[in-house]
Amino acid sequence: MLKIAVLGAGGLGKAAAKIIGMKQEMRLVAICDQSGYAFNPAGLTCPTSLTGLTTPTENDSIGEIIKLRDEIDGIFIALPNLPNEFIPNVLKRFIEAGYRGVFTDALKRTGAMELMFELDKGLKSTQSTYITGAGATPGLLTAAAVIAAQSFVEVIKVDIRWGVGISNWEEYKATIREDIAHLPGWTVEKAKALSDEEVSKLLDERNGILELHEMEHADDLLLERVGVVDARDKVTVGGVMDTRSAKKPVTTTMTLTGKTFDGKISSHKFLLGDETTMAANVVGPALGYLKRAKWLNEHGIYGIYGSTEFMPAVVK
Amino acid sequence: MLKIAVLGAGGLGKAAAKIIGMKQEMRLVAICDQSGYAFNPAGLTCPTSLTGLTTPTENDSIGEIIKLRDEIDGIFIALPNLPNEFIPNVLKRFIEAGYRGVFTDALKRTGAMELMFELDKGLKSTQSTYITGAGATPGLLTAAAVIAAQSFVEVIKVDIRWGVGISNWEEYKATIREDIAHLPGWTVEKAKALSDEEVSKLLDERNGILELHEMEHADDLLLERVGVVDARDKVTVGGVMDTRSAKKPVTTTMTLTGKTFDGKISSHKFLLGDETTMAANVVGPALGYLKRAKWLNEHGIYGIYGSTEFMPAVVK
């Protein structure tokens, strides 16, 4: 039985609480967001326990979770990551506090993930194991690319195109700000500074649709790290988010194109069912990787790894 | 640099020799089939070295490879497995000879794989690591099912339907006999006893097409083992082989249907590009898993595992 803390109580955090509640092998003992935290060693139930989060002393919910470190085996970081340094700094605090355990996240930006990998030494010093990029993209779809790559002696291109439909954008405010930051002419800082009203106005101007191309997504870093691609620009990520309908505007598809040993050019595809939500496709993998991180930790494998590792390897 | 032996010099063995020849991290040092063996510590080149296999003393090529055990880091078993006990017995011989190394295979039948898992203790005693079912199905497609399962709290069904086109069936005699054994009314023993002329006649009667349903494939065992399904009958494998054309008669597809945490029924799909051959889709994964087996071995993880393990885990 893994005692889990979820950092972040937005759409993803709430879904995580709900899914953990359906599992025998995990128990949600703590959750927090910027407004407060909740802790119960016997298990928090969703959504009841999440409605009345305790306001922490000095307005530092993460600090309250760190104090509870001896009660927590594993942590899923479902916090929005604005700016890039935010989640890396949260992890630094756990390391400095000497927390020993396992972590996963649903981090997206390449720049942020580069900062995460710099914390490898610290995680090794505390005998902790961290799997980063364990959501949908990077995560589920990037892992599928590693599997697909096995048929080829050279990978020419990996293209990820996602579709997300959400009927109530208020639940995913932070995710939407992160996506706005990917629009041409926008930055993480500018998106973070938007008021809810400004987000609402921007969505109105676009009929609720955000279409994104050439996103800075860490799928490139993770696939380069294991040798699926020899250069990051061979990986492209884009997508369409409809903030006014739960129906996906496009089918989420990972297409890997490569050359086989006998000289054929071909593409493998991995398609997600349209009925599956972002929450299902992010939180499921994050918890699956958290269990894998525990297994690695029990085998003395510490430090930070990507969601593309521990799969069939790429032979160079 | 991994020094590799390939057991079996049919279509798959030859493709393995060719692919290993394209890799810097692996070197083919030995290969054998029932007619003979070849060994060169500096590396065998394909196909030159495979045309003149040395006839072994006492007609025991496997025995000759076992004698070379100190020169071999890893073994890909690409032998036909008729009867079920054949590959398990080959592995027993390596264990009894005290060989320490890593293995993968492209084993297909559930009954055969059950025998393989019984050898876990022996492999642990020699500090060896074996990943079984590391071809296409089970293998590539089964691994994709583990990834796909992450989005769901309950997996309802996994359906694998493969298409294979081969222009020259003589190269894949053993594979075709194994597939004939899956036809209604046939057994492994009956298929093994067929002469080449009888196989040819059977194929003629079917216009070169073998269509198979409800095959006894170890995808079921491997997915049950990691908890993707709670019963083997939720996994079905079938396919169509055209022995007269390199063009695939159907697109190889893995479809996993499940229920999400929010009650939706949906299907994820993994499709292989039609231009990829059986050889590319079997040998690529087998070598990728061999490198993973080496990594596991270096981390003190011994014994026999399935190709579905070491991926994001299924949380029960």
Side-chain angles (χ1 to χ4, degrees), chain B residues 206-222:
Chain B
R206 294 164 182 265
N207 293 317
I209 304 279
L210 291 175
E211 178 155 359
L212 302 159
H213 298 277
E214 301 278 343
M215 298 174 77
E216 186 217 322
H217 254 228
D219 305 80
D220 59 357
L221 183 163
L222 291 177

Side-chain angles (χ1 to χ4, degrees), chain A residues 31-39 49 51-57 61 64:
Chain A
I31 192 162
C32 74
D33 72 3
Q34 53 191 10
S35 72
Y37 73 100
F39 171 70
S49 310
T51 48
L53 296 182
T54 309
T55 307
T57 48
S61 324
E64 297 297 321

Side-chain angles (χ1 to χ4, degrees), chain A residues 169-224:
Chain A
W169 78 269
E170 300 274 329
E171 282 276 296
Y172 289 93
K173 280 180 187 178
T175 299
I176 286 170
R177 276 193 181 75
E178 288 189 59
D179 283 336
I180 288 173
H182 286 282
L183 289 170
W186 284 80
T187 63
V188 170
E189 290 67 31
K190 266 176 75 180
K192 185 172 163 23
L194 286 175
S195 68
D196 283 4
E197 291 68 33
E198 286 167 322
V199 170
S200 195
K201 189 163 163 270
L202 183 146
L203 292 175
D204 280 346
E205 286 163 8
R206 295 162 179 267
N207 293 316
I209 304 280
L210 290 175
E211 178 153 1
L212 302 159
H213 299 278
E214 302 278 345
M215 297 174 79
E216 186 218 321
H217 253 228
D219 306 80
D220 59 357
L221 183 163
L222 291 177
L223 291 172
E224 183 189 53

Side-chain angles (χ1 to χ4, degrees), chain A residues 7-50:
Chain A
L7 311 188
L12 291 180
K14 282 195 188 107
K18 200 166 166 186
I19 295 175
I20 293 168
M22 299 166 98
K23 303 292 184 182
Q24 277 80 58
E25 293 180 337
M26 290 186 173
R27 177 191 295 161
L28 181 72
V29 296
I31 192 162
C32 74
D33 72 3
Q34 53 191 10
S35 72
Y37 73 100
F39 171 70
N40 186 346
L44 294 166
T45 48
C46 177
T48 335
S49 310
L50 308 187

Side-chain angles (χ1 to χ4, degrees), chain B residues 116-136:
Chain B
M116 295 300 290
F117 278 111
E118 290 175 11
L119 302 175
D120 183 58
K121 244 188 199 166
L123 286 162
K124 284 195 165 80
S125 74
T126 55
Q127 301 195 315
S128 291
T129 308
Y130 195 117
I131 298 180
T132 185

Side-chain angles (χ1 to χ4, degrees), chain B residues 182-222:
Chain B
H182 286 282
L183 289 170
W186 285 79
T187 64
V188 170
E189 289 67 32
K190 266 176 76 179
K192 186 172 165 14
L194 285 176
S195 67
D196 283 3
E197 292 67 34
E198 286 168 322
V199 171
S200 194
K201 190 163 162 270
L202 183 144
L203 292 175
D204 280 346
E205 288 164 6
R206 294 164 182 265
N207 293 317
I209 304 279
L210 291 175
E211 178 155 359
L212 302 159
H213 298 277
E214 301 278 343
M215 298 174 77
E216 186 217 322
H217 254 228
D219 305 80
D220 59 357
L221 183 163
L222 291 177

Side-chain angles (χ1 to χ4, degrees), chain A residues 220-233:
Chain A
D220 59 357
L221 183 163
L222 291 177
L223 291 172
E224 183 189 53
R225 201 175 147 88
V226 293
V228 166
V229 292
D230 56 13
R232 292 189 191 175
D233 63 4

